[in-house]
Amino acid sequence: MAALAALRSREDEERNSGREHEYEDFLVVYDLFAPNSQLPQFASAVKKMATALHPWRSILYITHEQMEALDAELTVSNRPEIFARVREMVGAAQADEVYLCRNWQFGNRLILHAYRDELKVCYGDSIGIYFSEAYFSPAVAANGPSIKTVVRQQLGRLKRGLRSRLTSAPPPENQKLRGYDVLSEIEFDVGYFLLPEILRETPPMETRLVNKTTTGKLFRQLAQALNPEQIAAQYGYLSKVPTVILMTSNFSEALRMPAEKEIAGYRTFLEELQLPRESALVIKPHPRDGAEKIQVVGRALSDLFSEVVLLTDQNLFFTPFEVFLLQAFLDDNGETPRDLKIITFSTACLSLPVLFNLNPIIGFGSELVKTSFFEDYITGRLRHEEDLQLAVRTLASHGDHNGFN
């Protein structure tokens, strides 16, 4: 969604300046960082959403195994051969523009090097925000390795260690990424962001703003394309009863906390909120969550609410939460129920004040963070929650954020 918002913003710029061109757009999907068993469904969902929103010349999914093979094979001496192979896989020998969310993961660096001479556009993460390579990195001792070295080690663990397994101990160290080490960093030429500095970091490239109306229209278009009548018929009753929506995140899958502490953390946080037991609880998984974990979360919270609804079928598991909110909760006037409570733990909270004029609840809070996260990630998590709280307050204070009016 952020990529298409950036693409449409750039198209509008060219149209307004009289420099409009006819482009053929190629979508390349890779590095989804989900449990391996869920990757085909994740990729399929991305293709379905992309097709509903934009005319593509082609859509390519580079599988985890294919990316691992490129990673293992890439050396300084064979770089031209590998880059040529990537261009052949994509089906485009050259390009005018390349759109990427960031430039520091292996897959992104590989694409940037394969199309090195093209205009390089950054669209950021989430709904269009920027954060640096070091933002989510673990804490580093004063005499320890550099931030970039630690991030590389972390990315290596993720690429080789992301599984749906439950773990209660910090992950073992693995080798660094092979291909990553022979790909130099390539800077972006320009960034298109909805909220470029909302996490208190400044993008290191020329920055242009995406209009919130552009982003809002994309979500509305997708909501209309993905069986809105079916979703409304199945879940529309939730808008008429007290409902709590829990948006989970992939903390244990990303190796930042043990799975059992993540599950216990959700329960403890919900208990502390003292929500009415007659409420229905809707659990919206992060697309990189493990499906088995979500089932465990549902069982762990079942006695706190009158009903627990898991959005785990493929049409909802990987679909942006904003689409479900539009389909199941917004009335004809674009208003959401007053007693709807939405609990988030990530940048998923940002679209709510911007597009829906809603104030989310942000967890976990400092005490749960200190007792639940692996030690190296506590400081970063505390900072992130502080950033999210500040961001939501800032966005809410602006007042007029309903992108559908």
Side-chain angles (χ1 to χ4, degrees):
M1 304 300 281
L4 283 174
L7 181 64
R8 291 189 180 182
S9 297
R10 185 157 178 80
E11 288 174 344
D12 288 342
E13 276 185 5
E14 293 200 336
R15 187 178 302 111
N16 294 334
S17 65
R19 294 182 286 106
E20 188 173 6
H21 298 90
E22 290 291 332
Y23 291 105
E24 292 182 321
D25 295 324
F26 296 73
L27 176 63
V28 186
V29 181
Y30 57 91
D31 280 356
L32 296 176
F33 290 113
N36 282 352
S37 62
Q38 296 170 202
L39 289 174
Q41 292 79 19
F42 195 171
S44 176
V46 172
K47 291 179 182 179
K48 181 178 179 180
M49 290 186 283
T51 302
L53 291 171
H54 193 76
W56 303 97
R57 167 69 182 273
S58 72
I59 299 178
L60 168 69
Y61 172 44
I62 304 179
T63 68
H64 174 75
E65 291 76 18
Q66 288 174 311
M67 193 63 77
E68 283 284 276
L70 290 168
D71 181 2
E73 188 176 346
L74 182 61
T75 64
V76 172
S77 61
N78 71 0
R79 283 181 298 186
E81 174 191 337
I82 298 297
F83 300 157
R85 191 187 310 172
V86 170
R87 293 191 293 269
E88 183 179 357
M89 293 170 67
V90 173
Q94 59 185 23
D96 295 289
E97 302 170 350
V98 178
Y99 290 73
L100 292 168
C101 59
R102 59 182 80 95
N103 65 350
W104 41 267
Q105 288 171 313
F106 171 70
N108 294 324
R109 286 199 171 185
L110 184 62
I111 295 293
L112 283 170
H113 277 266
Y115 295 98
R116 188 181 187 110
D117 296 328
E118 284 69 6
L119 181 77
K120 295 166 281 293
V121 180
C122 179
Y123 56 81
D125 284 83
S126 185
I127 57 171
I129 66 174
Y130 170 80
F131 61 78
S132 68
E133 180 178 358
Y135 184 83
F136 285 110
S137 65
V140 180
N143 58 350
S146 70
I147 284 288
K148 288 192 174 183
T149 297
V150 172
V151 171
R152 292 183 185 188
Q153 292 170 346
Q154 180 189 22
L155 291 173
R157 290 199 301 270
L158 286 174
K159 281 183 70 70
R160 294 170 176 81
L162 266 180
R163 298 294 186 269
S164 60
R165 61 183 172 84
L166 304 182
T167 178
S168 59
E173 291 292 328
N174 288 315
Q175 295 179 349
K176 295 186 297 184
L177 285 177
R178 294 148 292 191
Y180 187 102
D181 294 317
V182 300
L183 296 178
S184 59
E185 184 172 303
I186 296 178
E187 299 294 338
F188 285 107
D189 299 306
V190 63
Y192 284 79
F193 304 103
L194 179 66
L195 302 167
E197 298 183 20
I198 201 67
L199 294 184
R200 297 190 288 182
E201 291 195 316
T202 301
M205 75 286 289
E206 178 188 350
T207 300
R208 297 172 188 172
L209 292 178
V210 171
N211 192 300
K212 65 183 180 184
T213 304
T214 302
T215 302
K217 286 180 177 178
L218 279 166
F219 281 115
R220 186 170 58 188
Q221 181 182 347
L222 188 56
Q224 288 298 319
L226 299 182
N227 305 315
E229 295 83 6
Q230 177 184 336
I231 300 301
Q234 186 172 356
Y235 299 102
Y237 74 95
L238 292 167
S239 66
K240 300 175 177 62
V241 300
T243 300
V244 177
I245 300 177
L246 174 68
M247 299 177 66
T248 59
S249 194
N250 61 326
F251 296 116
S252 53
E253 290 84 359
L255 309 177
R256 290 177 182 158
M257 65 194 304
E260 67 270 18
K261 288 193 175 183
E262 179 181 354
I263 295 163
Y266 293 140
R267 181 180 175 93
T268 300
F269 187 72
L270 286 168
E271 287 177 327
E272 291 175 349
L273 293 177
Q274 297 183 336
L275 301 165
R277 288 183 177 267
E278 64 269 21
S279 302
L281 175 68
V282 177
I283 299 178
K284 173 61 176 79
H286 188 287
R288 296 188 179 97
D289 275 328
E292 181 181 347
K293 183 190 78 178
I294 297 303
Q295 295 293 332
V296 176
V297 171
R299 292 193 295 270
L301 304 178
S302 61
D303 64 314
L304 300 180
F305 298 90
S306 63
E307 178 186 12
V308 174
V309 178
L310 305 181
L311 304 183
T312 52
D313 68 80
Q314 185 174 339
N315 293 325
L316 294 171
F317 197 111
F318 303 105
T319 303
F321 166 75
E322 294 85 351
V323 172
F324 177 74
L325 190 64
L326 282 165
Q327 293 174 329
F329 285 93
L330 262 69
D331 61 22
D332 294 338
N333 297 319
E335 299 292 331
T336 54
R338 289 188 177 183
D339 55 0
L340 177 66
K341 294 179 174 60
I342 304 176
I343 301 167
T344 69
F345 298 84
S346 68
T347 54
C349 68
L350 298 177
S351 67
L352 298 174
V354 173
L355 301 179
F356 301 98
N357 199 27
L358 290 172
N359 258 331
I361 300 169
I362 299 171
F364 292 95
S366 60
E367 290 306 312
L368 275 174
V369 169
K370 292 173 183 176
T371 58
S372 301
F373 279 72
F374 292 131
E375 184 176 357
D376 288 346
Y377 290 95
I378 291 174
T379 300
R381 176 62 195 178
L382 291 173
R383 174 200 170 187
H384 187 49
E385 290 194 5
E386 180 182 344
D387 286 346
L388 295 178
Q389 296 281 4
L390 177 61
V392 167
R393 289 196 300 270
T394 300
L395 294 170
S397 68
H398 283 71
D400 179 20
H401 283 295
N402 194 329
F404 302 103
N405 289 338

